[in-house]
Amino acid sequence: MYKFWFIAIFALFSGKAFACSCAGYDIEESYNEYPSVFVGTVEKLETIKKREPGSWFSYYQLTQVTLKLDKVYKGSSDKKMVVTTRPGYGACGFPFKLNQQYAVFAYQDNRDLAVSSCSPTTHTEKRGEHQEEKRLTVLNFLALQNGT
């Protein structure tokens, strides 16, 4: 699990391009460690710029995702949630799509909630056989949890 956190933190703070490599995860352990777990539908996608830590002139881009919450398992029970992610799989970003529903596992990144492709975050509807096992594992696990 420590490998995941190292990769996720490196992905968020590194302004350099690199190939994303994710360690596996245990769904129950992930559920216990992530501060925010919910199912939500993407209402808005925006590209934002953040300043590199310790730099006045160097910026990196993030995708800011606004989701309408359909069910909350952990974290804020507001009607909407905003998370950030790196753009593209190569930077460990998660490829959210407008008007699509996701089961989201978000971690705290300074003041923001963030999502990585290395997390259990997944689409709630079947999208392809290569992601089907992950999707079913996450959704079956969440079905056993008490959410609001």
Side-chain angles (χ1 to χ4, degrees), residues 50-61:
K50 294 264 185 164
R51 189 170 51 208
E52 290 281 352
S55 172
W56 290 100
F57 304 108
S58 184
Y59 290 84
Y60 61 96
Q61 289 186 340

Side-chain angles (χ1 to χ4, degrees), residues 21-76:
S21 176
C22 302
Y25 58 83
D26 175 80
I27 187 65
E28 188 170 350
E29 187 177 305
S30 294
Y31 182 81
N32 291 330
E33 289 184 8
Y34 281 83
S36 187
V37 179
F38 59 89
V39 172
T41 303
V42 175
E43 289 189 333
K44 188 176 183 182
L45 294 166
E46 296 177 87
T47 300
I48 62 171
K49 289 185 179 182
K50 294 264 185 164
R51 189 170 51 208
E52 290 281 352
S55 172
W56 290 100
F57 304 108
S58 184
Y59 290 84
Y60 61 96
Q61 289 186 340
L62 294 173
T63 301
Q64 183 171 283
V65 184
T66 302
L67 299 107
K68 179 181 119 341
L69 299 185
D70 300 313
K71 185 160 184 146
V72 176
Y73 296 92
K74 291 177 66 179
S76 173

Side-chain angles (χ1 to χ4, degrees), residues 10-20 52 58-60 86 90-92:
F10 184 74
L12 287 172
F13 292 111
S14 173
K16 311 290 185 248
F18 65 97
C20 183
E52 290 281 352
S58 184
Y59 290 84
Y60 61 96
R86 293 292 246 175
C92 293

